[in-house]
Amino acid sequence: MAAATLVLTGRKIVKGQASGEAVVTREAISFNGGVDNMTGIVTEPGHEIEGVNIAGKVLVFQTGKGSTGGSYKIYDMVSRGTAPVAFVQVSPEGVTTIGAIIGNIPAVAGLDQDPTHVISTGDFVEVDADAGTVRVTFRDASKQVAERPPADEVKRQFDADLS
C-alpha cells in the first residue's frame, strides 16, 4: 500500500528547500534558553517536546517566543550542525524569522491547514518555501487525508479583512 501524502500551501517566509523527518509541537518555542544550541535538544522544562533533538529535522511549531538572542542561537546552531533543516510555522514572528534568514533555513507559514494538527512527529516533510508548499508523507500509511474545503472557503490565519 502506498504511503498517504498531503500537500499544504501557504507562503514563503524564508526561501529555500529542505526535507526531513518532522518534529511537531503545538507550543511556542524559545531558542534562547529553551534549546541547547550545542546539541539541538529542547531543554525547556515542561515543554511538550522537552528532551527531543530537533537537529536535522523539519520543525513544525506554533510560533517562537523569547528574546532576540534566539535569532543568534539559531544561527549558532546552523554553524554547529544542530539546527532544524526547515521551519513550518503557524504564526511567524521576528525572532525565528531573523534566525532563519541569517541561518538560511527555509521557512513557510500561513498554510491552508494548521500544520501542527495535520503533521505528526515522524512524518516525512518536504518544504519548498519558494513555492510555498509543504508535502507530507505520513509515517502511518493508514492515516486519512482530510477533505479540503473549496479554496474560496478557506480563511487563512494571515488573511486580513480589509473591508
Side-chain angles (χ1 to χ4, degrees), residues 28-108:
I29 192 163
S30 172
F31 283 88
N32 192 18
V35 177
D36 181 349
N37 57 307
M38 303 293 276
T39 63
I41 295 174
V42 176
T43 58
E44 181 179 340
H47 195 281
E48 176 182 28
I49 58 170
E50 179 183 5
V52 174
N53 194 325
I54 59 174
K57 305 292 184 3
V58 175
L59 183 60
V60 181
F61 62 114
Q62 186 66 37
T63 191
K65 65 179 181 179
S67 74
T68 57
S71 301
Y72 299 105
K73 291 285 188 168
I74 293 168
Y75 179 72
D76 184 58
M77 290 174 72
V78 169
S79 69
R80 294 177 187 281
T82 60
V85 296
F87 291 160
V88 177
Q89 292 179 271
V90 175
S91 301
E93 43 59 59
V95 173
T96 55
T97 297
I98 291 168
I101 291 168
I102 63 177
N104 292 315
I105 298 173
V108 295

